[in-house]
Amino acid sequence: MAELSATPPKTEDRPSALREFWYYFSENRGAVFGLWVFSAFVLCAAFAPLLAPYDPTEQFRNHILQPPAWQEGGSWAFPLGTDPLGRDMLSRLIMGSRYSFFVGIVVVCVAVTGGVIVGLLSGFAPKWVDTMIMRVMDIILSFPSLLLALVLVAILGPSLTNAMIAIAIVFQPHYVRLTRASVLAERQKDYVTSARVAGAGKARLMFKTVLPNCLAPIIVQAALSFSTAILDAAALGFLGMGAQPPTPEWGTMLAEAREFILRAWWVVTFPGLAILVTVLAINLMGDGLRDALDPKLKRS
Amino acid sequence: MFGYFLTRLGMFVPTFLGVTLISFMFIRVLPGDPIIVMAGERGMTEERYQEMVEKLGFDKPVLQQYWDYLVGVLHGDLGESFVTKKPVWDEFFALFPATLELSLCAMIFAVALGLPAGVIAAVNRGKFFDRALMSSALVGYSMPIFWWALLLIIVFSGNLGWTPVSGRIDLLYYFPSVTGFMLIDSLLSGQPGAFGSAVRHLILPTIVLGTIPLAVIARQTRSAMLEVLGEDYIRTARAKGLAPARINGLHALRNALIPVITVIGLSVGTLLAGAILTETIFSWPGIGKWMVDSIFRRDYPVVQGGLLMIAVIVMLVNLLVDVLYGVINPKIRRR
């Protein structure tokens, strides 16, 4: 998994391009650091049942709200302490990484697939279809994303799956606009005209000729939406509209811990820290990806 | 200029219709019969049910229903809350000042810190200040604000006892609402300590809501400044021997501000989304908390009306930003 995230699939058969990518990517030390943290997160999600010392739903009734090991009253049996029901925080956090990773992957895949296809259509379709698609996207963008996701979940019913569907729908317009903008720029170029003259059909033009040249900004956006998706899913979980208890999803854990904030700092601090570190690592990586893949964008 | 304005307005109308269509559909795609939901656990007699169907217009053709809804919306009729039985329109405008006050304070906080931070980072490019500021900005940008709020409550309300945890003002103060803005109303009331209390209640929500815009503005200011600092006229200004502070502050910042203003305008959506979380955590009686509460109470007319009003506000602000942008930058108009 870790190797996969380091090598974008599109450059697999061109080692020189890959080396070039790595050269630019590794120039940004923050990005490399982000990649390491993200790899650790992915490994943690993959091997969660092996890493977690206890079952995340197992309740130790004698150890309710036990502080972390280094504090008075803590023990190394529960390194990060226990929650109000006596469940091991560390095990819940480790299992929680699975949900966040899953949310990120599913939301990005759905939003990218849908957005790229609609964006390509919009870029190649007659003007009136294009206008219609863009107006629909404008309409979706008029709603603040979290609010729209919240209302969609209210319609579909609160669950992690529905939260993912809602977030994917809300993210769609960004990919549509991004793809369409690149397609419109690429379409003017000579290689597209020559492909068309050579007799390439619409579908081939769209997916084989133009799409690969539009991928760079889409990959960068995908990395950034991965982190936003994790944040939004956690926010929905926090509001009680995402994963439902006793699921050890980080946002849901925070919501459950809210009433204990003044009595037990660890039940509140650790899940949020997990979200922050993961999101930060992905954003660092996203900045590096942008520098490496998209020379047109400013190096800042 | 007028042509540009008309084109932009022409885009506004279909989007507005689309937004009304979505909010119209909202109550009709809900699982179950909204009237049964409205009756709750008490149930409802057959006669009353028919009466409600007629009152809500569910017996008419869908197109007719949409038309009636649209006409209602344009006349400021968003229906009545299931729970309070008050018009949604009135409730919205009673609560809106609270959200506006919080959002404005958050924006002022974000701009007041974000602009200087971006300028300092750009001027010291690659040095310690730049790295420290931009790392903090990235942390701020990645922050789950609902957790940030809880942390601030633990430290400043729990451990230090400096700030209150919820509400807009202490319960001991009571005065009539004149403007709806607690800061202004508390000053007008003339009660000693009221203003201070209002300020203390505002501090934490402002910081929480302003954090992400602050990070975005700092990053945007830095990259806009860097671009401008590379321009020829800056070199000319340097060659003329102008003081660096004058060059950075006057010549560079003014031109760097244009993209920054756009970002500020476009963060209205972010602010309103953030208000949902911030208001819920701090029990701030504004639009965001109202929406979340209504979703949980299944008060569908409120959710429907609130959704529409928030979208319209975002659209109006975007329209305003686009028009202003056209005024500032003639290149956009001609496109």
Side-chain angles (χ1 to χ4, degrees):
Chain A
M1 270 314 209
E3 281 157 31
L4 252 185
S5 55
T7 46
K10 68 159 191 140
T11 49
E12 249 168 19
D13 48 350
R14 288 162 54 200
S16 64
L18 176 63
R19 199 164 301 140
E20 187 194 337
F21 165 77
W22 181 250
Y23 173 78
Y24 284 117
F25 185 81
S26 59
E27 252 189 4
N28 186 333
R29 270 188 297 167
V32 176
F33 179 71
L35 179 66
W36 283 116
V37 177
F38 182 69
S39 308
F41 164 69
V42 173
L43 285 176
C44 179
F47 299 108
L50 298 176
L51 290 170
Y54 305 99
D55 184 296
T57 51
E58 193 179 350
Q59 301 181 3
F60 298 92
R61 284 295 181 181
N62 299 329
H63 301 274
I64 286 173
L65 282 180
Q66 187 171 312
W70 59 87
Q71 255 202 344
E72 210 186 312
S75 78
W76 282 104
F78 305 103
L80 296 182
T82 58
D83 74 356
L85 293 175
R87 296 172 295 196
D88 179 41
M89 287 295 291
L90 181 64
S91 308
R92 287 177 72 71
L93 287 175
I94 292 175
M95 289 304 279
S97 65
R98 290 199 137 182
Y99 294 95
S100 288
F101 183 70
F102 188 58
V103 166
I105 289 283
V106 171
V107 166
V108 167
C109 286
V110 173
V112 168
T113 317
V116 164
I117 291 175
V118 177
L120 275 173
L121 280 178
S122 182
F124 275 93
K127 185 127 198 308
W128 65 274
V129 179
D130 178 37
T131 313
M132 236 170 67
I133 293 177
M134 292 327 283
R135 279 302 83 74
V136 172
M137 295 306 136
D138 280 354
I139 293 167
I140 301 180
L141 283 174
S142 306
F143 298 98
S145 60
L146 184 67
L147 177 68
L148 190 57
L150 199 63
V151 170
L152 283 172
V153 174
I155 295 174
L156 299 168
S159 77
L160 191 63
T161 318
N162 290 341
M164 289 192 297
I165 296 174
I167 297 170
I169 292 177
V170 171
F171 282 7
Q172 202 92 315
H174 298 284
Y175 290 98
V176 175
R177 283 189 156 188
L178 206 58
T179 314
R180 174 177 172 273
S182 323
V183 168
L184 289 185
E186 291 295 318
R187 263 185 73 176
Q188 315 291 334
K189 295 191 178 157
D190 290 342
Y191 75 95
V192 182
T193 317
S194 71
R196 189 179 292 133
V197 172
K202 264 266 157 77
R204 188 183 167 87
L205 270 183
M206 279 160 67
F207 290 97
K208 276 214 119 149
T209 315
V210 170
L211 180 59
N213 293 300
C214 303
L215 277 180
I218 296 172
I219 292 174
V220 175
Q221 179 69 30
L224 296 176
S225 337
F226 198 106
S227 60
T228 321
I230 291 179
L231 271 183
D232 280 3
L236 286 177
F238 181 75
L239 290 171
M241 283 290 179
Q244 296 298 308
T247 314
E249 197 269 332
W250 293 336
T252 313
M253 284 170 72
L254 269 178
E256 284 180 82
R258 252 182 85 181
E259 49 188 303
F260 299 94
I261 53 172
L262 296 180
R263 272 172 51 204
W265 58 270
W266 58 94
V267 286
V268 176
T269 311
F270 293 130
L273 201 60
I275 302 174
L276 175 63
V277 169
T278 312
V279 171
L280 187 59
I282 298 170
N283 283 343
L284 276 170
M285 227 171 63
D287 276 2
L289 272 180
R290 189 193 54 199
D291 289 355
L293 288 177
D294 210 347
K296 272 173 290 180
L297 291 173
K298 278 180 300 294
R299 300 250 160 89
S300 58
Chain B
M1 182 60 216
F2 191 63
Y4 167 74
F5 179 70
L6 279 187
T7 324
R8 191 57 190 75
L9 204 64
M11 283 161 72
F12 181 82
V13 175
T15 317
F16 173 75
L17 288 179
V19 168
T20 54
L21 190 62
I22 286 190
S23 73
F24 166 77
M25 273 166 18
F26 164 73
I27 214 163
R28 280 153 187 88
V29 295
L30 283 168
D33 187 332
I35 297 177
I36 302 285
V37 171
M38 189 161 62
E41 294 181 354
R42 283 170 299 150
M44 156 184 294
T45 61
E46 188 60 28
E47 278 163 37
R48 176 87 181 119
Y49 183 83
Q50 285 307 327
E51 206 178 293
M52 286 307 292
V53 167
E54 226 161 271
K55 190 180 163 200
L56 293 171
F58 284 179
D59 52 344
K60 293 181 196 156
V62 176
L63 268 180
Q64 175 75 39
Q65 284 184 39
Y66 175 61
W67 177 251
D68 291 347
Y69 174 70
L70 193 62
V71 171
V73 165
L74 291 174
H75 285 91
D77 174 17
L78 296 171
E80 274 176 12
S81 158
F82 284 170
V83 177
T84 60
K85 310 286 177 205
K86 282 190 206 147
V88 174
W89 180 271
D90 296 354
E91 282 204 343
F92 182 89
F93 282 101
L95 295 170
F96 187 62
T99 301
L100 189 63
E101 183 176 41
L102 176 57
S103 306
L104 281 178
C105 288
M107 211 58 213
I108 292 170
F109 166 77
V111 173
L113 291 182
L115 269 185
V119 173
I120 292 173
V123 172
N124 296 299
R125 182 181 191 174
K127 293 187 197 144
F128 170 77
F129 264 126
D130 181 23
R131 287 210 205 116
L133 284 171
M134 284 307 112
S135 312
S136 328
L138 195 66
V139 173
Y141 181 67
S142 312
M143 188 64 84
I145 60 167
F146 42 98
W147 176 65
W148 181 223
L150 296 180
L151 278 194
L152 290 176
I153 289 178
I154 291 182
V155 175
F156 291 104
S157 306
N159 292 355
L160 298 172
W162 289 354
T163 54
V165 182
S166 67
R168 296 179 77 188
I169 197 154
D170 280 339
L171 288 174
L172 22 283
Y173 303 104
Y174 180 78
F175 40 82
S177 166
V178 184
T179 57
F181 293 98
M182 200 52 88
L183 290 178
I184 300 175
D185 284 354
S186 61
L187 272 183
L188 288 178
S189 76
Q191 294 181 26
F195 181 71
S197 170
V199 170
R200 272 198 305 281
H201 279 81
L202 249 173
I203 293 174
L204 288 191
T206 298
I207 295 176
V208 168
L209 189 55
T211 299
I212 290 181
L214 164 63
V216 173
I217 290 173
R219 277 162 66 106
Q220 186 67 42
T221 309
R222 177 179 179 271
S223 68
M225 273 296 276
L226 283 180
E227 196 171 323
V228 172
L229 285 176
E231 299 276 344
D232 287 343
Y233 63 85
I234 296 292
R235 202 181 322 142
T236 311
R238 277 204 195 107
K240 283 199 301 187
L242 291 184
R246 197 177 157 82
I247 296 174
N248 293 331
L250 212 68
H251 294 233
L253 184 60
R254 255 168 70 173
N255 288 295
L257 272 182
I258 297 177
V260 176
I261 289 173
T262 320
V263 169
I264 294 174
L266 294 180
S267 10
V268 172
T270 321
L271 276 180
L272 286 173
I276 295 173
L277 291 164
T278 314
E279 289 181 2
T280 308
I281 294 169
F282 290 101
S283 303
W284 189 265
I287 302 300
K289 185 171 183 305
W290 178 60
M291 288 294 285
V292 172
D293 289 348
S294 305
I295 286 175
F296 277 106
R297 286 198 297 240
R298 296 174 181 272
D299 194 349
Y300 295 130
V302 169
V303 179
Q304 188 183 28
L307 191 66
L308 178 66
M309 292 302 288
I310 291 175
V312 169
I313 289 174
V314 172
M315 282 162 57
L316 284 176
V317 174
N318 287 353
L319 178 69
L320 192 73
V321 171
D322 276 7
V323 171
L324 277 183
Y325 207 52
V327 173
I328 301 171
N329 191 347
K331 273 191 235 160
I332 304 272
R333 292 204 289 261
R334 274 189 235 114
R335 216 167 42 188

